[in-house]
Amino acid sequence: MSDTASRAEAIRDRYRSTLGTIPRGAEDRLRLAEQHDRLDTEEAIMALRHIVLTDNALGPRVQQLVHFGQLLALGRSEPARIHARGALHAGATTGDLIGVAETAVLTAGVPAYALGIEIIAELIGPPD
């Protein structure tokens, strides 16, 4: 494996560790970074993400929940989905996600709450 491929795979491993998967947008950025010799940028972003998400007093579970709530407030559905999955991967419960969605109704209105509930419903699937 080339040095570039090894560096890109190390970034992918961090995404897998944090979120349980590699988001499509991250994979697209990595592909372009590899093709155009821009992995330094992705490594710098990943270093900052590591500090903010894992080397933080909130811990990974709460940090993912905060990201989920902030993204609901911004109406960013795809990134909110990623961080909802990341929160579950970090040990959050469905109740935690619902609590975040309920908080979003106060800070960002019913559309943010509805988006949160939609995402949670998708994650947990249909009732048995």
Side-chain angles (χ1 to χ4, degrees):
M1 184 179 288
S2 72
D3 180 54
T4 299
S6 295
R7 290 169 57 202
E9 193 57 30
I11 295 170
R12 287 179 181 95
D13 285 344
R14 283 237 183 132
Y15 277 109
R16 287 183 196 106
S17 169
T18 303
L19 301 172
T21 188
I22 304 166
R24 187 184 67 227
E27 186 58 52
D28 290 343
R29 288 192 314 272
L30 281 168
R31 180 177 43 80
L32 288 171
E34 284 181 275
Q35 291 171 350
H36 297 279
D37 196 28
R38 300 305 304 160
L39 274 176
D40 289 348
T41 302
E42 289 299 318
E43 289 168 330
I45 291 168
M46 188 54 67
L48 177 60
R49 288 179 61 83
H50 180 73
I51 292 166
V52 172
L53 290 175
T54 59
D55 190 19
N56 182 297
L58 295 178
R61 179 185 145 277
V62 172
Q63 195 59 261
Q64 291 292 336
L65 290 167
V66 168
H67 275 72
F68 176 54
Q70 290 176 330
L71 291 160
L72 291 179
L74 293 170
R76 301 288 313 273
S77 63
E78 287 312 308
R81 282 176 173 80
I82 291 167
H83 287 281
R85 278 188 231 97
L88 293 172
H89 181 73
T93 65
T94 301
D96 292 332
L97 293 173
I98 292 169
V100 169
E102 289 175 346
T103 301
V105 77
L106 297 176
T107 59
V110 173
Y113 169 73
L115 176 58
I117 296 302
E118 173 187 313
I119 290 168
I120 296 163
E122 288 171 7
L123 289 173
I124 64 171
D128 294 335

